[in-house]
Amino acid sequence: MRPSRAVALFGLVVGAAGWASRAELDEVVVDGVRQRIALVPSWQPFVAFAALALFVTAGAAYLLRRSRLSTARARFADVLLPGLALGLLVVPYLPVLPDWWPWLQALAGEGIWMIWAIVGSLFVWGVWPLVPRLPAWWARRSLGFQTLTVWIVAATIIGASAARLTHTVLFPSGDEPHYLVIAQSLLKDGDLKIENNHQRRDYAEYFARDLDPHYLTRGSDGEIYSVHPVGMPVLIAPAFALGGYDLVVWAFVAMAAAAAAAAWRWVAVTTAAPGHATLAWAAVAFSAPFLVNAFTIYPEIPAALAVTLAATLALRPAPDARPWHDVALGLLAGALPWLSTKYAPMSAALVAVTLGRRWWPMHAGERRAGAAGATLRVLAPYGAALAAWFAFFYAYWGTPWPSAPYGALTQTELDNTFFGVPGLLFDQEYGLLVYAPAYLLAFAGFGTMIRRPGPLRRLGLEVLVVFGALLFTVGAFRIWWGGSAAPGRPLTSGLPLLMLPVAIQIGAAGTSATRRAAQHVLIWTGATLAAVLVLAQNGLLLANDRDGTSALLAWLSARWPLWTVAPTFIAHEAPRELVDVAMWALAAVAGSWALRRARVTNRGAAALAALGLVLATVVVGAAIVRALPPADPPLPGIDLRARARLPALDSFDRVTRPLAIRYAPFHVSRAAEVESLLALGVTPGLRTDPQPVRVLHNGRFSLPAGRYRVDVRWASRRPLPARAGSTLALQVGRIGPPLTTWTVDPAPDGTWSAEFWLPLDAAFVGLRGDGAVERSVAAVTFSPLDVVDAGSRTVTPPVLAAARYGEVLVLFHDELTYPEPTGFWTTGQRASRLSIACPGGCTDGVALRVHSGRRPNQLHLQAFGWTRDVPLVPETQVTVTVPPPPAGGVVELDTNTTTGFVPVDIDPALHDRRFLGAWIEVSLPAKETP
């Protein structure tokens, strides 16, 4: 194809894809019938995306035409071919076809920008040979410079992810605060007794909720010692002493980047292919199982660094080994059990492969040269570390066994590996491959290494032994997913080792452009999935409920139940799920076979073919699993009536999406005409999942800012359980009291309605009532009356609670405040954020009446550039007026106090152990009398 025609076609496809990306597809139930609707932009996005594509490609083509690279000029049109795949984004908006095959609607889901990213990565891969100067410059740099660069890039991306997710409801959580408490006990008390640290609430500086000690049996001296290993708390204690939780996080970021960089250097030297090592590094370091666990305060990252360094020392030719290498390896391997008991078998595997190399080296001429001395140098520090480890348990629990802290609780059994090992790899909530499909290259790479005779075969077996020791150990644990954990956490410490087989498999592609393109698709799919987990939904997609349904898959495919074709080793028995895994493996083998036989020479066509084959493999695998008899119990599908949110409602915007398309029959109208169709409701028995706060029939919904009407249809029972004078309450946020309470007069077959206002997006809205009221309700419906356009909404953190004080609404964004009927308390010495909304937009600001009870304090207030430090005298109220925001609207306010108090310490009769800072009452400023 001529370059000019290729550029024109590319611009048209990109323009159409950009237009579709700005649209929103949804399904609603109208008079009991499903109807597909789309809120779409006008022509401007099409023109903008097409013009941008034409400008960039035409400019690049002009520069190449002026250059001396005739090959580059000839291949430029081919480079644009992957962009044609963006045409898939338009398919869900076509008539008829997406109704016949509903799975096509997944292409209009939240993951559309993943398609852009993957296609963009293929475009970069195609362009890369056309700009040879950069690869040549990189190749001329020293290995040390390259390693440092790799570390900087990894630390930057991991650090940005940490900054995004730490100090949220997700981090620190789980076992993280318990490890930090152990470090605090070492620093403050010089011991490991944690009961007093919990009683003093030492954890309050980084964890807002109450925290009970994690222990199962007391020590031999009757004291409480944590069930968690002490190695990592000892390691982080200096960082915590210098900078608290934040510095510990940055120390973990540095260690994770160091593990990734060390593994890259090892692979680059071993394979003599830095380019392959870099791709393998990207596949591992930017995969969700490594990236999202890299800054969590668990033993995984220190263990990953220790394992990587030990492996680089152990898995090297005997002539390259130095005496200090053996000592260092013994120390590193000996440190692993201190980090966690589950690492003991992996440490033994590292020692075993090291001694195997010393006694049976690669070449016969090197046989047993200095093997006895090397054995002593390895085993002496390793044995000393193990002896101290066993002595530790004996000293504190009276027995040398590492299971002592768990008492009679034993969850590790060989039989558990039957579902634990495949679950760690394939489970849709916690499995490695679901979140990072590039690890398929690792397991294929092991096969490639083992098939090749000589040193590579041995190296592959040695890495497999070390990683297998970890996989089978954690797979034997009953809760193999790691409790409350991000996906893949139990395997994180061994993931850097997989860079080697990934790099080997990348090299095995040889000159096959199609296979190499497919490898890029897998690698960058994993990287984009990691980006989604970090950036989307404030990280909440990481919070799986262990119910067998992946939050990520549900988010990616809101209109077709993608999760029903993915394996789940939590909700179903292992034999049934192993059949699903086998079907997916069959589809993957068929796709690999097709890739091997694809005869495509140029990169652009190869990228397009590879993308098509990978997509076809996924579709075929899903179709095969879908055709199998359903598992028992079946995973829930999509019931449009039971949805908690509507994408069309969330993105409703009369300016950016002014048009609405209603399919079957096809009809185009203004967006405002379908606003009333975007209603959410619930009926008895429709939703049975667990509730964080009890609301009527579990009807909790996510509603954007705007005005709404709630309709309650009473049951036809006579008489109704509820009586006149009963109450209904509007709950906004999953904690705190109701926002508004109404008195109702239920009547059989009757209805009740009320209107309410939400100044901000609220992810939890529902009705509360007693049991009699709930039994009297036949249906609850929330209907939008006037939704605020998406582009005009105030962006704030999630609303966790809400309270009304007169005409003023206060919305709380964390759990550090305690709303009461007339005001609220803040937590002492903790920064808290809240939003204040007024019916007229707070154009005159808001008035705060504050005091600190019987203790002196100082309250710090901050809002949109305005700050105020308010000294508080005991039992004295102070009034502060917060000025309005520059354009009116919602007042976003941050509060903090320099100290705090516990009410029970002042008056034991109060029985209130909260650590309180300041009391705040909110109202509109008093009008001045002329």
Side-chain angles (χ1 to χ4, degrees):
M1 182 183 296
R2 294 177 57 185
S4 58
R5 294 179 181 178
V7 169
L9 179 59
F10 180 75
L12 290 174
V13 172
V14 170
W19 176 88
S21 300
R22 299 295 299 161
E24 187 68 64
L25 186 71
D26 208 341
E27 285 186 297
V28 295
V29 177
V30 181
D31 298 328
V33 179
R34 293 174 64 129
Q35 180 156 142
R36 186 162 54 102
I37 64 172
L39 300 175
V40 300
S42 53
W43 52 269
Q44 289 93 340
F46 173 84
V47 173
F49 277 89
L52 179 62
L54 291 172
F55 176 78
V56 172
T57 54
Y62 173 77
L63 293 176
L64 288 172
R65 188 165 61 250
R66 303 255 317 171
S67 71
R68 298 179 180 179
L69 297 174
S70 58
T71 304
R73 295 198 302 271
R75 295 175 55 187
F76 181 73
D78 295 329
V79 170
L80 301 179
L81 287 175
L84 299 182
L86 294 173
L88 291 170
L89 299 178
V90 183
V91 173
Y93 296 92
L94 298 176
V96 182
L97 196 62
D99 296 313
W100 288 349
W101 295 319
W103 61 267
L104 289 172
Q105 297 184 36
L107 295 171
E110 298 286 355
I112 55 175
W113 298 109
M114 289 181 56
I115 298 177
W116 282 90
I118 294 168
V119 171
S121 69
L122 293 175
F123 179 80
V124 172
W125 175 67
V127 171
W128 194 254
L130 309 185
V131 285
R133 292 184 179 180
L134 182 59
W137 176 87
W138 173 255
R140 290 195 300 268
R141 302 302 99 185
S142 67
L143 186 62
F145 176 84
Q146 293 174 337
T147 305
L148 178 61
T149 303
V150 166
W151 181 88
I152 292 173
V153 173
T156 300
I157 294 177
I158 295 171
S161 303
R164 166 76 177 175
L165 294 179
T166 52
H167 293 293
T168 66
V169 295
L170 295 173
F171 301 98
S173 64
D175 293 339
E176 288 184 279
H178 295 279
Y179 284 110
L180 294 169
V181 165
I182 299 174
Q184 286 180 298
S185 181
L186 288 170
L187 293 169
K188 293 188 174 184
D189 307 324
D191 59 34
L192 296 173
K193 304 171 185 178
I194 60 172
E195 186 173 16
N196 61 328
N197 302 95
H198 284 268
Q199 290 174 345
R200 294 197 307 254
R201 297 178 61 90
D202 289 344
Y203 53 82
E205 62 181 272
Y206 51 82
F207 191 73
R209 301 182 294 277
D210 291 336
L211 189 71
D212 295 326
H214 270 189
Y215 79 102
L216 294 172
T217 182
R218 289 180 179 265
S220 56
D221 57 358
E223 296 286 350
I224 290 179
Y225 300 97
S226 179
V227 73
H228 301 290
V230 300
M232 192 265 286
V234 171
L235 182 67
I236 66 172
F240 191 93
L242 293 174
Y245 167 69
D246 290 324
L247 188 58
V248 172
V249 169
W250 290 112
F252 269 66
V253 169
M255 285 190 287
W264 176 88
R265 184 186 181 102
W266 169 57
V267 174
V269 171
T270 302
T271 62
H276 299 165
T278 301
L279 282 176
W281 165 77
V284 173
F286 303 144
S287 68
F290 188 84
L291 181 65
V292 299
N293 288 296
F295 52 86
T296 56
I297 313 304
Y298 282 90
E300 269 65 29
I301 289 305
L305 181 57
V307 169
T308 303
L309 294 177
T312 60
L313 295 174
L315 305 180
R316 61 175 61 203
D320 295 338
R322 299 292 182 266
W324 70 267
H325 292 170
D326 299 326
V327 176
L329 190 144
L331 290 172
L332 290 167
L336 285 172
W338 283 93
L339 294 172
S340 179
T341 302
K342 63 188 176 186
Y343 298 138
M346 184 166 58
S347 73
L350 281 167
V351 171
V353 298
T354 302
L355 298 183
R357 288 220 163 199
R358 301 299 185 266
W359 286 94
W360 295 278
M362 293 287 188
H363 306 289
E366 302 171 0
R367 185 175 300 276
R368 299 188 181 181
T375 301
L376 180 61
R377 289 191 297 270
V378 171
L379 292 183
Y382 181 65
L386 289 184
W389 185 52
F390 288 119
F392 168 79
F393 292 107
Y394 183 81
Y396 283 88
W397 281 278
T399 174
W401 300 115
S403 60
Y406 298 92
L409 181 64
T410 302
Q411 298 192 62
T412 301
E413 297 179 4
L414 186 61
D415 291 346
N416 293 340
T417 59
F418 186 61
F419 54 85
V421 170
L424 287 165
L425 298 177
F426 303 107
D427 182 75
Q428 64 173 277
E429 290 185 274
Y430 300 98
L432 191 68
L433 296 174
V434 174
Y435 293 87
Y439 286 107
L440 286 170
L441 301 177
F443 298 107
F446 279 126
T448 299
M449 296 174 73
I450 292 171
R451 287 195 302 270
R452 295 181 180 178
L456 197 60
R457 172 184 292 173
R458 176 170 180 170
L459 186 58
L461 290 172
E462 290 168 333
V463 174
L464 190 59
V465 165
V466 176
F467 184 79
L470 173 66
L471 176 62
F472 279 87
T473 301
V474 295
F477 193 50
R478 183 64 184 86
I479 51 173
W480 47 266
W481 55 86
S484 176
R489 197 202 81 197
L491 297 177
T492 301
S493 57
L495 295 182
L497 298 179
L498 300 186
M499 285 189 198
L500 179 63
V502 170
I504 294 295
Q505 190 62 21
I506 290 172
T511 59
S512 174
T514 310
R515 290 180 64 189
R516 185 62 55 81
Q519 292 170 349
H520 278 264
V521 171
L522 295 178
I523 292 170
W524 301 116
T525 296
T528 54
L529 284 172
V532 164
L533 291 175
V534 171
L535 299 175
Q537 299 286 301
N538 296 302
L540 293 177
L541 295 179
L542 290 167
N544 285 297
D545 296 327
R546 297 188 293 279
D547 59 356
T549 301
S550 166
L552 174 66
L553 296 182
W555 182 80
L556 288 174
S557 181
R559 286 171 292 279
W560 191 79
L562 183 60
W563 55 89
T564 59
V565 298
T568 169
F569 287 84
I570 292 178
H572 297 151
E573 295 297 325
R576 174 62 175 81
E577 292 312 299
L578 288 174
V579 173
D580 288 353
V581 170
M583 296 301 100
W584 278 106
L586 180 63
V589 169
S592 177
W593 179 87
L595 282 171
R596 288 176 178 272
R597 278 149 186 79
R599 297 292 184 264
V600 182
T601 56
N602 68 72
R603 288 195 172 201
L608 187 60
L611 196 58
L613 284 172
V614 170
L615 181 61
T617 300
V618 174
V619 171
V620 169
I624 295 174
V625 174
R626 189 83 168 173
L628 295 174
D632 185 27
L635 292 177
I638 296 177
D639 188 339
L640 294 182
R641 302 168 303 161
R643 289 190 297 175
R645 68 188 311 150
L646 293 178
L649 190 61
D650 292 339
S651 62
F652 190 83
D653 196 314
R654 302 168 187 82
V655 177
T656 59
R657 299 179 185 88
L659 303 177
I661 302 175
R662 296 179 64 175
Y663 300 86
F666 189 86
H667 175 68
V668 180
S669 65
R670 300 191 65 81
E673 296 181 26
V674 301
E675 183 178 10
S676 60
L677 301 179
L678 306 179
L680 290 161
V682 68
T683 55
L686 186 63
R687 301 174 66 182
T688 58
D689 45 328
Q691 305 185 57
V693 175
R694 185 171 183 82
V695 292
L696 296 184
H697 301 306
N698 204 4
R700 60 188 192 277
F701 305 100
S702 176
L703 301 178
R707 302 197 69 85
Y708 294 86
R709 185 183 72 249
V710 56
D711 298 295
V712 174
R713 179 165 57 84
W714 302 109
S716 59
R717 296 174 58 185
R718 298 175 185 273
L720 290 175
R723 297 288 184 265
S726 299
T727 59
L728 284 174
L730 180 70
Q731 179 72 35
V732 177
R734 61 178 175 81
I735 60 175
L739 177 64
T740 302
T741 301
W742 299 284
T743 301
V744 296
D745 186 6
D749 294 316
T751 60
W752 171 88
S753 300
E755 296 183 7
F756 63 93
W757 169 56
L758 292 176
L760 300 176
D761 295 353
F764 189 110
V765 180
L767 288 182
R768 299 179 66 176
D770 59 25
V773 170
E774 184 166 29
R775 292 191 298 273
S776 302
V777 171
V780 175
T781 305
F782 288 89
S783 303
L785 300 177
D786 184 16
V787 177
V788 177
D789 288 338
S792 301
R793 297 173 197 161
T794 302
V795 179
T796 64
V799 175
L800 300 187
R804 181 187 300 275
Y805 301 113
E807 297 183 21
V808 180
L809 268 62
V810 180
L811 302 108
F812 305 94
H813 302 298
D814 50 47
E815 299 182 43
L816 302 175
T817 50
Y818 305 99
E820 297 182 12
T822 59
F824 57 91
W825 282 102
T826 68
T827 300
Q829 294 181 308
R830 296 297 302 275
S832 178
R833 173 165 294 185
L834 52 97
S835 297
I836 304 172
C838 318
C842 298
T843 54
D844 297 324
V846 293
L848 308 180
R849 293 185 295 276
V850 302
H851 68 77
S852 59
R854 302 180 187 177
R855 294 286 174 87
N857 208 333
Q858 180 167 287
L859 175 64
H860 177 75
L861 302 172
Q862 181 174 343
F864 43 84
W866 172 88
T867 61
R868 180 70 58 84
D869 290 314
V870 185
L872 299 177
V873 179
E875 299 183 339
T876 302
Q877 184 169 272
V878 179
T879 300
V880 180
T881 300
V882 181
V890 176
V891 175
E892 299 176 58
L893 184 67
D894 293 323
T895 71
N896 201 353
T897 57
T898 56
T899 185
F901 69 97
V902 179
V904 71
D905 294 340
I906 298 175
D907 185 354
L910 294 176
H911 302 291
D912 187 349
R913 295 188 175 276
R914 297 176 299 176
F915 186 61
L916 303 179
W919 170 260
I920 302 178
E921 298 176 8
V922 183
S923 64
L924 293 175
K927 297 290 186 180
E928 294 185 5
T929 303

